[in-house]
Amino acid sequence: MTTTTDVAEGRSVAPLTARDFKGPVDPDWCPGCGDFGILNSLQRACAEMGLRPHELLVVSGIGCSSNLPGYINAYGMHTLHGRALAVATGAKMGNHEMNVIVTIGDGDGYGIGGNHFTHTARRNVDLTCVVMNNQIYGLTTGQVSPTSSTGMKTKSTPYGSVEPPVNPITSAIMNGATFVARAYSGDVRHLTHLIKQAVKHKGFSLIDVFSPCVTFNLDNTHAFFKGRVKKLEDEGHDPSDWKSACEKAMMWGDKIYTGIFLQRELASLDQQEPVLNEGGPLGFRDLGLERKHTERIIQRMM
Amino acid sequence: MSSGKFDFVFSIGGEAGQGIATPGDILARVFVRRGLHLSTYNAYQSIIRGGHIFLTVRVSDEEVLTHGDKIDLLLCLNQDTADRHVGLMESGSRIVFNSDRIKINNPKEGVFLCPMPVSELTGGSRNRLIQNTVAVGAMVALMGMDFETLEESLVLRFQRRGQAVVDENVAMARAGFDYTHANFPLFAQGAPTGSKPLAVWSGNDALAMGGAAAGVKFYSAYPMSPSTGVLHWMASNARTLGIMVRQVEDEIGVANMAIGAAHTGCRSMCATSGGGFALMTEAVGSAGMMEIPVVFIDVQRAGPSTGVPTKSEQGDLWQILGASQGDFERFIVAPKDCLDAFNTMPELFNLVDKAQCPGIVISDLVISEGRFSVDPDLIDMHPVIDRGELITTPTASNGYMRYKNTETGISPRALPGLEGYVHVVATDEHDENSILISDEFTNPHKRRMMVEKRARKFRLVAEDVPAPELEGPEDADVTLVGWGSTYGVIEEAVEQLKLEGVTANHLPIKWIVPLKADAVSEILSRSKKIIIVENNYSGQFYRYLRSETGVSVDGHVRKYDGEPFMPHHVTTGVLEVMAGKTDVFVPYQEVVV
Ligand SMILES: Cc1ncc(C[n+]2csc(CCOP(=O)(O)OP(=O)(O)O)c2C)c(N)n1
Ligand code: SF4
Ligand SMILES: [Mg+2]
């Protein structure tokens, strides 16, 4: 198995295009849904990185967003609501040569799966987590989410939400994530670029993507984001400066930053685990034990 | 079992922090190195210091599966132990204690007291734990054993702590040994020597080793008594054996991570107790829907809720039967003892690999934390491995469908990463080609097809599971039915009943699913009387058995005080039910800890 991320050169096979990453069915998202931009960006990024479909595992939870694995030509796991990061960690440990991308919703990632979010970041599992953040529960037809703004009226907060939202960027930084970025799904070029950076990054990478739900979130619309998003790279942000990253991540008004807030080098979980040092992916190894080991184990019991 | 020529029980009582495990371990080594069988039960509480701990070790020249009914020799490490348990000691038994600090009040007539002047014997040693070693020397002497095997065991135990520690312990054990020979009458029947040295393990060791032997490559867990021993074994052997072991944020993560690893081809498992299993349940069903083989272990403790973390019960059966929403197929198995737990793991992994579904092992504190002798030649660390229809090499052809609706219902499973087999697995209902049929495109005919496909493959593979068999005479007066860890205690009760003039046979149920209800019904239809023995209040197993077979029974023996059955509890219960005194007999627990 050859599974590195930027290996297009040196291959005899024809390079793939974004179309080659089209899945067997068309998305059933509402027309105009922000999730389309994320799917497009992902397909482009895969093609541009020279990935082959079998080298990629896309893991999702449950939500409108989490239907994505069905729409991309790659190995996929459409798991339980909130559990994608846990499943993806297991899958990455089982086959650390695979490129793992997790595509989940804001409810999935920061609500029901919040504990996994914290710990996957802390462990620096080498996977890319793309949170398709529409600041609402889409699939369940429009309830408040952990990223909904204070005051937002939804079906479950008809008088306006009284709770403050979670800040995914500062949370991820505090949890020890080694690559933390934000994007807007309306800017496919920028998002494609960020996905490529994130996949190439060795360790846990988060891209929180504003992905407007045109049906249930009438506050955070494309129009809302278009005028507000500003790229960090245009302002010379230094991704090694975590304090500045946090300050910029907390700005929410006329200016909302996108781009890479923080990036740092740290050994990833698979690199830390001696069991993975040699022998290829765990899942493909022979199952039998060596007699010299089993005899020693039994000897110790006597 | 109890008819063994040599059948001896000793107990050690004290408080947490007094190092009770050490003499227990040392003596266990002495016995198994001598080739004697043993079964231990440690009654303890969920604290690190204080409380009352009571370790009971039964030794025999034949296999023993329970800690028996009586105590021949009691070692008191504190006054509390003496006061609590002196009443259990019968004529002919002996009590060893540190006479500097402990007084034995009101022993029954005929009980031999063996006061040890520990301070004098140890030259006033300030080492608080040294009284344990003196006592071990005394106990070995009382049982008529030589000093050499004890010395060997002490060296093994203490060598890592340096020669000085070894020397001190050997000298103190010797002092206790010699003092006893000089001052107390030894037991009339000395401990014999068996035919070959045995090994010792706990049920948790056995579950972990069985998993390792089956080829487990991924083990995840969140600590929870009494299952944590599995994690400890896995963690300490992981690097040598090439197993990835992860302690995870919670049991939800544990189960889902195990499933992720299993999907990539690892044999994966995780162990927990009832509370943790409750958190895992949604994932169990997801493995059923995605058709990913994975093994969950629930080591039961006394519930509900946090319950009594250090006590045992068979109270999780309905939780496990009902684990996860919807109809789906999974194996559920309750091994009968330590060795059976070990052997069950490879067997279960083969089944779940073939049927591509989850499997659940039900253990409990009695098996998992009990320590038992085992003939090392019976531990097969290289069992047959059958991974079923697993695809592990790439292909150039197209058209692979992960959930192909085959005649057997088994769809060949390709591991992610292989060229030519790109596919999605989904927890939503899906078509043969993984496309969801759950949201916009629900389709009743396809849904029915997929439900039936999953059921079909399970039914086929479940044929590999043996039907339960009746043990003992066909025409017995009564059939005792139990499941899981009550195996040993029922076997022993059958022997005791014989002495009371009652012939009993025993139907042990190991496989909960598939139960093989027809075979069970057929066996029970020939029983003169049926009594069900289980370690819970409401008769969980009885209710399951009745729902699957329609069988009605004559009575029950149930225990739910946290302590395991002793053989005479079952015997008395059967006699009372047979005499028509009660339908549900609940034994009185004599040993209070
Ligand atoms: C355990 C569980 N609880 C609740 C649900 C119902 N549910 C499905 S998706 C969802 C929320 C989806 O919101 P989000 O994760 O933000 O994804 P979106 O649909 O907005 O993309 C909920 C509550 C479920 N499937 N499982
Ligand atoms: S409901 Fe919202 S999130 Fe879901 S598909 Fe429609 S627009 Fe997208
Ligand atoms: Mg959402």
Side-chain angles (χ1 to χ4, degrees):
Chain A
M1 293 198 346
T2 50
T3 49
T4 46
T5 52
D6 46 352
V7 287
E9 68 274 19
R11 279 217 181 133
S12 52
V13 288
L16 298 181
T17 65
R19 289 179 71 93
D20 294 312
F21 284 92
K22 224 173 101 42
V25 287
D26 290 330
D28 62 357
W29 293 318
C30 309
C33 174
D35 293 351
F36 283 103
I38 298 177
L39 177 63
N40 289 343
S41 306
L42 208 54
Q43 290 164 331
R44 279 194 195 192
C46 290
E48 288 175 20
M49 284 186 288
L51 278 181
R52 320 291 298 179
H54 69 274
E55 297 166 346
L56 175 64
L57 177 66
V58 182
V59 185
S60 72
I62 295 295
C64 294
S65 43
S66 282
N67 285 347
L68 190 141
Y71 311 142
I72 187 165
N73 180 23
Y75 277 101
M77 299 185 80
H78 192 163
T79 75
L80 295 168
H81 188 39
R83 310 304 158 208
L85 282 170
V87 175
T89 299
K92 182 72 189 186
M93 295 300 108
N95 187 342
H96 62 294
E97 292 181 0
M98 200 89 183
N99 297 284
V100 179
I101 299 181
V102 171
T103 56
I104 51 181
D106 41 311
D108 250 334
Y110 309 134
I112 191 167
N115 205 15
H116 309 311
F117 178 70
T118 296
H119 295 279
T120 313
R122 166 177 79 81
R123 293 186 185 112
N124 202 26
V125 183
D126 182 27
L127 55 81
T128 296
C129 176
V130 179
V131 178
M132 304 162 80
N133 183 359
N134 52 13
Q135 300 170 265
I136 194 94
Y137 281 8
L139 191 68
T140 45
T141 70
Q143 299 81 16
V144 72
S145 111
T147 52
S148 299
S149 300
T150 312
M152 185 169 167
K153 288 188 174 160
T154 70
K155 284 186 188 158
S156 60
T157 54
Y159 304 104
S161 170
V162 296
E163 297 178 13
V166 69
N167 185 321
I169 304 296
T170 55
S171 302
I173 293 172
M174 291 303 136
N175 291 337
T178 52
F179 182 109
V180 183
R182 187 194 272 155
Y184 164 51
S185 77
D187 188 345
V188 168
R189 261 184 63 168
H190 189 225
L191 177 53
T192 305
H193 171 73
L194 288 175
I195 291 172
K196 282 162 40 183
Q197 302 290 108
V199 171
K200 284 177 191 167
H201 174 78
K202 187 75 189 154
F204 179 78
S205 46
L206 168 74
I207 312 178
D208 182 72
V209 188
F210 296 131
S211 181
C213 169
V214 296
T215 308
F216 297 113
N217 185 341
L218 304 182
D219 294 356
N220 308 106
T221 59
H222 285 287
F224 173 89
F225 286 111
K226 273 208 174 96
R228 288 178 166 84
V229 291
K230 297 278 176 304
K231 296 193 179 79
L232 286 165
E233 49 268 44
D234 292 346
E235 300 201 4
H237 169 67
D238 171 9
S240 68
D241 182 348
W242 70 270
K243 284 183 192 152
S244 152
C246 289
E247 271 167 24
K248 295 198 164 101
M250 284 163 71
M251 289 176 64
W252 186 267
D254 292 343
K255 217 190 231 184
I256 300 173
Y257 283 109
T258 57
I260 303 173
F261 286 84
L262 181 108
Q263 184 168 16
R264 62 197 177 96
E265 296 281 317
L266 197 72
S268 60
L269 186 62
D270 57 299
Q271 290 173 322
Q272 298 272 22
E273 267 298 341
V275 168
L276 297 182
N277 281 351
E278 51 192 69
L282 264 185
F284 281 91
R285 293 186 195 172
D286 286 340
L287 297 197
L289 300 175
E290 285 183 53
R291 282 192 191 268
K292 66 171 193 236
H293 293 143
T294 56
E295 279 162 15
R296 172 107 66 43
I297 286 168
I298 291 176
Q299 202 51 46
R300 278 204 309 257
M301 293 160 56
M302 298 183 62
Chain B
M1 301 237 164
S2 54
S3 63
K5 295 190 301 302
F6 180 72
D7 187 5
F8 186 87
V9 179
F10 68 85
S11 293
I12 305 176
E15 63 185 64
Q18 282 196 303
I20 288 173
T22 311
D25 281 354
I26 294 166
L27 287 167
R29 289 241 180 214
V30 170
F31 292 120
V32 293
R33 292 175 87 79
R34 245 182 127 81
L36 293 175
H37 297 265
L38 57 87
S39 165
T40 73
Y41 170 64
N42 191 22
Y44 69 108
Q45 293 127 13
S46 199
I47 48 172
I48 309 299
R49 303 255 157 221
H52 178 59
I53 299 188
F54 198 61
L55 173 73
T56 301
V57 180
R58 181 175 183 198
V59 191
S60 173
D61 51 3
E62 291 179 6
E63 195 187 352
V64 274
L65 292 177
T66 78
H67 58 293
D69 286 317
K70 46 143 200 181
I71 303 172
D72 297 294
L73 172 58
L74 171 66
L75 166 60
C76 304
L77 296 181
N78 63 2
Q79 186 63 46
D80 176 46
T81 302
D83 296 341
R84 273 171 190 265
H85 302 307
V86 66
L88 299 172
M89 304 305 289
E90 299 294 339
S91 176
S93 68
R94 283 151 179 72
I95 304 178
V96 175
F97 58 101
N98 179 348
S99 55
D100 302 339
R101 303 205 277 118
I102 297 168
K103 208 167 155 294
I104 306 296
N105 300 309
N106 309 319
K108 285 186 194 155
E109 218 180 292
V111 175
F112 290 103
L113 300 189
C114 308
M116 305 295 290
V118 170
S119 174
E120 185 190 316
L121 291 173
T122 61
S125 167
R126 298 250 297 268
N127 179 350
R128 241 170 30 87
L129 298 182
I130 206 70
Q131 67 160 339
N132 299 1
T133 306
V134 174
V136 166
M139 292 167 83
V140 164
L142 286 172
M143 287 181 247
M145 296 190 286
D146 58 68
F147 190 71
E148 280 59 47
T149 328
L150 171 58
E151 186 169 345
E152 262 172 46
S153 304
L154 289 168
V155 173
L156 270 177
R157 172 81 198 190
F158 292 110
Q159 62 192 3
R160 264 182 303 162
R161 310 214 334 237
Q163 193 57 39
V165 177
V166 171
D167 291 346
E168 185 190 19
N169 277 281
V170 170
M172 291 305 111
R174 182 93 232 177
F177 185 86
D178 291 344
Y179 185 84
T180 302
H181 268 280
N183 294 284
F184 309 126
L186 310 186
F187 283 103
Q189 188 190 15
T193 308
S195 55
K196 64 174 178 183
L198 301 175
V200 212
W201 61 358
S202 69
N204 280 338
D205 294 341
L207 289 164
M209 286 172 66
V216 163
K217 289 275 180 277
F218 188 90
Y219 180 79
S220 48
Y222 187 85
M224 187 169 188
S225 293
S227 70
T228 314
V230 184
L231 170 62
H232 292 171
W233 193 96
M234 282 292 185
S236 64
N237 290 282
R239 294 207 174 161
T240 330
L241 300 182
I243 301 171
M244 165 83 65
V245 176
R246 302 244 62 84
Q247 183 177 319
V248 178
E249 55 270 23
D250 56 31
E251 287 87 347
I252 304 179
V254 166
N256 283 282
M257 218 176 265
I259 289 170
H263 180 57
T264 60
C266 299
R267 278 193 162 177
S268 299
M269 73 176 205
C270 47
T272 182
S273 190
F277 188 75
L279 294 185
M280 293 182 175
T281 52
E282 193 190 16
V284 175
S286 82
M289 189 55 139
M290 292 189 285
E291 303 197 35
I292 295 174
V294 57
V295 169
F296 304 89
I297 299 172
D298 176 10
V299 182
Q300 301 169 105
R301 69 191 209 189
S305 193
T306 308
V308 198
T310 58
K311 298 296 168 194
S312 201
E313 198 159 274
Q314 294 181 305
D316 292 356
L317 181 62
W318 280 94
Q319 175 183 213
I320 288 165
L321 284 168
S324 217
Q325 66 273 25
D327 266 344
F328 68 99
E329 288 67 33
R330 72 276 182 259
F331 291 93
I332 303 177
V333 58
K336 63 180 186 176
D337 60 33
C338 218
L339 184 60
D340 193 38
F342 173 82
N343 287 325
T344 296
M345 298 309 294
E347 185 183 3
L348 181 61
F349 267 105
N350 288 348
L351 290 167
V352 299
D353 259 349
K354 284 195 263 185
Q356 302 177 19
C357 71
I360 305 167
V361 180
I362 314 182
S363 178
D364 59 23
L365 183 137
V366 178
I367 291 182
S368 272
E369 290 198 339
R371 300 184 77 221
F372 304 88
S373 55
V374 57
D375 176 349
D377 295 335
L378 296 179
I379 305 175
D380 180 6
M381 291 298 283
H382 307 275
V384 175
I385 287 173
D386 181 349
R387 299 220 65 187
E389 298 193 35
L390 187 70
I391 299 168
T392 57
T393 49
T395 179
S397 59
N398 295 317
Y400 173 70
M401 292 200 288
R402 170 64 188 93
Y403 298 113
K404 193 170 168 44
N405 183 33
T406 59
E407 207 170 305
T408 59
I410 298 171
S411 319
R413 179 166 83 103
L415 298 185
L418 294 173
E419 199 160 359
Y421 290 107
V422 166
H423 69 268
V424 176
V425 291
T427 63
D428 279 79
E429 185 61 284
H430 41 261
D431 198 352
E432 290 177 276
N433 53 9
S434 306
I435 291 173
L436 304 196
I437 50 173
S438 61
D439 294 344
E440 216 173 325
F441 312 105
T442 53
N443 179 326
H445 304 297
K446 285 185 172 172
R447 159 70 176 171
R448 176 176 168 180
M449 173 183 87
M450 295 309 288
V451 170
E452 290 176 353
K453 180 194 100 69
R454 290 188 291 264
R456 199 158 64 240
K457 67 171 184 179
F458 183 80
R459 217 180 308 124
L460 178 74
V461 178
E463 286 172 15
D464 292 359
V465 172
E469 282 176 31
L470 191 69
E471 300 189 4
E474 283 267 340
D475 60 346
D477 302 329
V478 58
T479 299
L480 307 186
V481 187
W483 63 287
S485 69
T486 53
Y487 177 82
V489 88
I490 294 178
E491 284 290 293
E492 210 161 323
V494 166
E495 296 298 318
Q496 293 181 351
L497 284 164
K498 217 182 275 174
L499 303 176
E500 303 287 337
V502 173
T503 58
N505 52 30
H506 178 193
L507 182 63
I509 306 287
K510 166 177 172 175
W511 289 93
I512 305 296
V513 178
L515 178 68
K516 309 275 167 171
D518 290 347
V520 173
S521 299
E522 207 271 320
I523 291 170
L524 293 181
S525 70
R526 280 178 279 127
S527 298
K528 291 188 192 148
K529 271 193 186 316
I530 302 169
I531 295 176
I532 303 206
V533 180
E534 55 185 316
N535 225 314
N536 59 53
Y537 174 80
S538 69
Q540 293 198 1
F541 179 74
Y542 165 60
R543 287 184 283 130
Y544 174 59
L545 186 71
R546 194 177 53 182
S547 75
E548 292 289 309
T549 62
V551 70
S552 57
V553 308
D554 300 280
H556 306 267
V557 181
R558 291 183 192 157
K559 196 164 187 289
Y560 40 85
D561 54 30
E563 296 298 327
F565 280 111
M566 292 163 90
H568 74 277
H569 292 151
V570 177
T571 305
T572 312
V574 170
L575 292 174
E576 300 251 317
V577 171
M578 297 284 282
K581 289 192 197 155
T582 180
D583 297 341
V584 181
F585 178 81
V586 181
Y588 175 77
Q589 172 67 25
E590 302 89 344
V591 184
V592 177
V593 286

